[in-house]
Amino acid sequence: MKSTPLQTALPSDNHALALGFSGTLGNIDAYISAVNRLPMLSHDEEISLSKKLRENNDLAAAQELVLSHLRLVVSIARGYLGYGLPHADLIQEGNIGLMKAVKRFDPDQGVRLVSYAMHWIKAEMHEYILKNWRLVKVATTKAQRKLFFNLRSHKVGLDAMTPAQVNELAKTLNVKQEEVIEMETRLSGRDIALEAPSDNDDEKFAPIAYLSSDMQEPTKVLEAQHYDKLQSEGLEFALTKLDDRSRRIVEARWLANDDGSGATLHELAAEFGVSAERIRQIEAVALKKMKGSLAAYA
């Protein structure tokens, strides 16, 4: 977390300290406890402070408005803990929304700040959740966002939704049944650590062990392509540089069968009417010449 919720929401001055903040609150539980002890504002006090902020840009009035509604942020953040994100981070994002609400609040509209601020607080938390809940975005349209934040409350228990429940939710939220099924599947999934959490032999088979592949590394791919080319075009090029007898010997000895069980020296010696040692010498010279041809081709 970049900073504590207290650091985001509160200037460090004597007024804040007098309201119960020591200036050294780093623990989330201590922060929540201190927030809940802050005094609430009456409707008249709220209007007076809001007008001071609008007409005179009174930052002390803005601070008091923010302080008195921090408990609202804590309460709203508690409702989003099911997404597995840090409580303190949710509060921090909500505090940003609260400050935006205080800045834009119009006391002449006859609406209490608490009602107006809820929209801004939830909007900031929603944005944070959608960006950080999973590495891959799970909701990109307005309808998908609505589905994302309503699916949990519409599900009954931990079992998968029945076709009737899927159909009902799709109609309620005005989305396709396929989108409901897909979102439920993604929400019910679990993040898995790529690396094993310990050196325990039973836990060493983490995804990183079987997801990684050296063969997909660019250099390895190029090497494999180069090798395949040498095995086909390069080999054919090298064979064309041999005389007929040398080519016949090399092909019979090494290229006749895929399992490497080619002709023997004695079989070729009988075919050409020479000794087995002479066949071995011709083969050695031919292979050396092919090696030079392959190097030139590469």
Side-chain angles (χ1 to χ4, degrees):
M1 189 172 66
K2 300 181 291 297
S3 60
T4 67
L6 179 60
Q7 291 171 327
T8 302
L10 304 174
S12 179
D13 61 14
N14 294 332
H15 183 62
L17 299 179
L19 289 173
F21 289 93
S22 66
T24 59
L25 294 179
N27 180 279
I28 184 63
D29 293 328
Y31 170 78
I32 294 174
S33 177
V35 162
N36 288 331
R37 292 196 303 268
L38 291 173
M40 301 287 289
L41 296 176
S42 66
H43 192 192
D44 291 338
E45 290 174 328
E46 186 178 291
I47 293 176
S48 175
L49 290 169
S50 299
K51 288 183 175 180
K52 287 182 180 179
L53 174 60
R54 289 189 64 193
E55 297 170 3
N56 305 317
N57 195 29
D58 190 334
L59 296 183
Q63 179 180 333
E64 195 161 349
L65 288 168
V66 170
L67 288 171
S68 63
H69 289 82
L70 289 178
R71 69 178 69 197
L72 173 64
V73 176
V74 172
S75 177
I76 294 175
R78 194 174 293 115
Y80 294 104
L81 292 178
Y83 295 101
L85 296 171
H87 193 188
D89 285 1
L90 287 168
I91 292 174
Q92 177 170 273
E93 297 301 319
N95 286 342
I96 294 174
L98 172 60
M99 288 186 283
K100 289 181 178 180
V102 168
K103 182 178 180 181
R104 294 167 172 80
F105 181 62
D106 183 359
D108 296 330
Q109 294 296 322
V111 179
R112 292 297 301 267
L113 177 57
V114 63
S115 300
Y116 180 77
M118 287 182 67
H119 165 76
W120 290 93
I121 294 169
K122 288 183 177 181
E124 290 295 325
M125 291 185 185
H126 286 186
E127 191 69 22
Y128 169 72
I129 292 170
L130 290 173
K131 286 182 178 179
N132 295 277
W133 190 66
R134 289 286 163 85
L135 292 177
V136 181
K137 290 185 177 180
V138 295
T140 55
T141 66
K142 185 176 181 179
Q144 288 176 333
R145 287 172 179 241
K146 188 175 181 180
L147 174 60
F148 180 88
F149 288 106
N150 283 274
L151 184 59
R152 287 178 182 269
S153 60
H154 281 79
K155 284 193 63 174
V156 179
L158 299 177
D159 296 331
M161 298 179 70
T162 64
Q165 291 173 327
V166 170
N167 183 50
E168 181 181 354
L169 182 57
K171 289 182 178 179
T172 302
L173 300 179
N174 193 28
V175 296
K176 297 179 181 179
Q177 294 185 33
E178 294 80 5
E179 292 180 332
V180 176
I181 295 173
E182 180 186 3
M183 188 66 72
E184 182 191 22
T185 302
R186 299 178 77 171
L187 285 175
S188 61
R190 294 291 182 270
D191 292 329
I192 302 175
L194 283 177
E195 297 181 348
S198 68
D199 294 331
N200 191 318
D201 289 338
D202 294 335
E203 299 176 345
K204 281 187 176 179
F205 293 99
I208 194 67
Y210 53 83
L211 288 179
S212 62
S213 172
D214 291 339
M215 295 308 298
Q216 298 305 315
E217 196 271 327
T219 303
K220 296 290 185 181
V221 172
L222 291 175
E223 288 178 353
Q225 292 175 347
H226 182 65
Y227 179 78
D228 290 341
K229 190 174 182 179
L230 286 179
Q231 286 284 322
S232 55
E233 299 175 12
L235 183 59
E236 183 61 31
F237 172 78
L239 287 171
T240 60
K241 300 300 180 182
L242 301 178
D243 59 77
D244 292 341
R245 184 173 64 170
S246 297
R247 177 167 181 165
R248 164 62 185 155
I249 291 173
V250 170
E251 289 179 337
R253 289 277 288 158
W254 301 104
L255 303 177
N257 299 312
D258 292 335
D259 60 2
S261 57
T264 65
L265 294 175
H266 292 285
E267 290 172 342
L268 291 171
E271 179 181 336
F272 289 103
V274 296
S275 66
E277 175 60 22
R278 179 57 184 158
I279 295 296
R280 187 194 66 76
Q281 292 173 354
I282 294 173
E283 177 189 35
V285 172
L287 291 176
K288 184 176 181 180
K289 187 174 183 179
M290 288 182 66
K291 183 177 180 180
S293 298
L294 285 171
Y297 179 83

